[in-house]
Amino acid sequence: YEIGADGGALDFEIQTNVDVTVNTSATWIKQVMTRALESKMLFFDIAANDAQEAREGTITISGGAATQTITVKQKGAQGILDAERQALIDLYNATGGDNWKNNTNWCSDKPVSEWYGVTCGNMVSNYGQVTSIYLDYNNLVGTIPESICNLTALNRLCLRGNKLTSIPESIGGMSTLKWLWLTSNALTAIPESICNMTSLEQLYLEYNKLTGSIPEAIGNMTSLECLQLSSNQLSGSIPASLGNLSKLSILRLDNNKLTGSIPESFGNLTSLTELEMHSNQLTGSIPEGFGNMGSLKRLVLYSNKLTGSIPESFGNMKSLQRLYLQNNQLTGSIPESVGGMESLKELDLQYNQLTGSVPQGLANCSQLYHIILANNGLSGSIPEAVTKTTWWSHYWGYIIPQDASKGGGFE
């Protein structure tokens, strides 16, 4: 039996019709006793090998006149470090390392911790394995190799601003990875396996050439705090499973070709502080559940095909500072509840089909300094409380012009 340096369980079954005794040749092989007296399964715990060299031990099983010896071989840390060094060399070769802007010490006989952009841990906690790679804007051209998964302690992989074209399926097996930053490359697809990365906290894939749909299984990535897929060519609908990502703080899906409605499940994203989905082809209404997003500071949905009214629940978003809903097909009146958005600083609702009057509640938005309501069908008289706000004298010209064809025009 061969065991990795990290140790673990070793279980095997023996066939015998007599009582047996078990002896091990090394203290790092420890038998685990069970209460099942009739069981002939034997259980052992193999301790982690803190040394770089491999080691070997035996398990001797005796019963009656028979004796059997089982050899256990355990890899040392050196095997892990050799595999990591090779994975880095593979990355160098697969991405034109000779032409990188900075390739200091790469592929040399120096410790990999001295290779440009590579950071390693200490020998006590992880044998000095690679923990982060920062090669942003370094002229990497090509593909990320499958062997990247052999960096089994990697925490951060940051390769922004290069010319990488694909992400390997093996990325899904990198259970220690927390940050995957691949902004501004030439990536064309999101591998399905990426949804297996349940420890990943930050996924940056904006400004690439991604096509196809967002995987439905993305809802399995329950540790995600930041998901950025902006400025690609993604199509199809937004997966409802995104509503499972309860830790999500930043979600940016803008500047794609997404269609369909905004999932009702988004109301579950109560940790969200920024949501940007502008410049798509989204239809349907804005879910009432958005009012549950008490931490939301920035909501940007302009330049879609959204219909229906502005939810009354928006008044519950006490932290909202910026609300951009312009260039949609929203109807109905601006809800009086907007006065509850006490942190609001910027509001843009122009080029919709809103009707009714300007709500007096806007006067409660004392931090407001940017407001555009023009080119709707608003009418009636402007509330006196609104005309006395600090922002009115600067922005009345962005409120008064209304579209007569939509029934707009103030008294």
Side-chain angles (χ1 to χ4, degrees), residues 60-76:
T60 303
I61 303 170
S62 302
T67 298
Q68 181 178 2
T69 299
I70 296 171
T71 300
V72 180
K73 297 179 178 180
Q74 186 178 31
K75 296 179 180 179

Side-chain angles (χ1 to χ4, degrees), residues 87-213:
L88 292 176
I89 293 173
D90 291 346
L91 176 63
Y92 183 92
N93 291 331
T95 58
D98 289 346
N99 297 315
W100 290 359
K101 291 182 179 179
N102 191 333
N103 58 11
T104 302
N105 292 334
W106 273 75
C107 301
S108 70
D109 57 0
K110 291 189 176 182
V112 297
S113 60
E114 297 181 21
W115 295 12
Y116 172 75
V118 177
T119 302
C120 298
N122 59 61
M123 291 300 297
V124 175
S125 61
N126 73 343
Y127 317 120
Q129 290 179 261
V130 176
T131 56
S132 67
I133 300 175
Y134 285 89
L135 294 173
D136 294 337
Y137 305 96
N138 201 42
N139 197 39
L140 276 69
V141 181
T143 62
I144 301 172
E146 290 285 345
S147 59
I148 196 77
C149 65
N150 291 333
L151 301 174
T152 56
L154 194 65
N155 185 269
R156 300 178 181 182
L157 179 58
C158 304
L159 305 175
R160 297 172 295 177
N162 289 292
K163 298 177 183 178
L164 300 171
T165 56
S166 68
I167 305 171
E169 284 290 339
S170 65
I171 199 93
M174 301 185 73
S175 60
T176 61
L177 202 62
K178 303 290 186 184
W179 293 8
L180 180 57
W181 291 4
L182 299 175
T183 303
S184 299
N185 277 281
L187 303 172
T188 58
I190 302 174
E192 286 286 341
S193 66
I194 208 168
C195 300
N196 298 329
M197 303 179 74
T198 55
S199 296
L200 197 68
E201 296 174 356
Q202 298 187 12
L203 177 58
Y204 288 71
L205 296 177
E206 71 269 40
Y207 297 103
N208 278 283
K209 299 178 180 180
L210 299 174
T211 59
S213 59

Side-chain angles (χ1 to χ4, degrees), residues 220-236:
N220 297 335
M221 303 176 73
T222 51
S223 296
L224 270 183
E225 298 172 0
C226 182
L227 174 59
Q228 302 215 31
L229 301 177
S230 306
S231 300
N232 283 287
Q233 300 171 36
L234 295 169
S235 57

Side-chain angles (χ1 to χ4, degrees), residues 214 229-230 238 251-256 258 276-277 280:
I214 302 171
L229 301 177
S230 306
I238 298 172
L251 175 58
R252 292 178 178 158
L253 306 177
D254 53 278
N255 283 295
N256 280 288
L258 299 172
E276 296 199 21
M277 297 190 292
N280 280 288

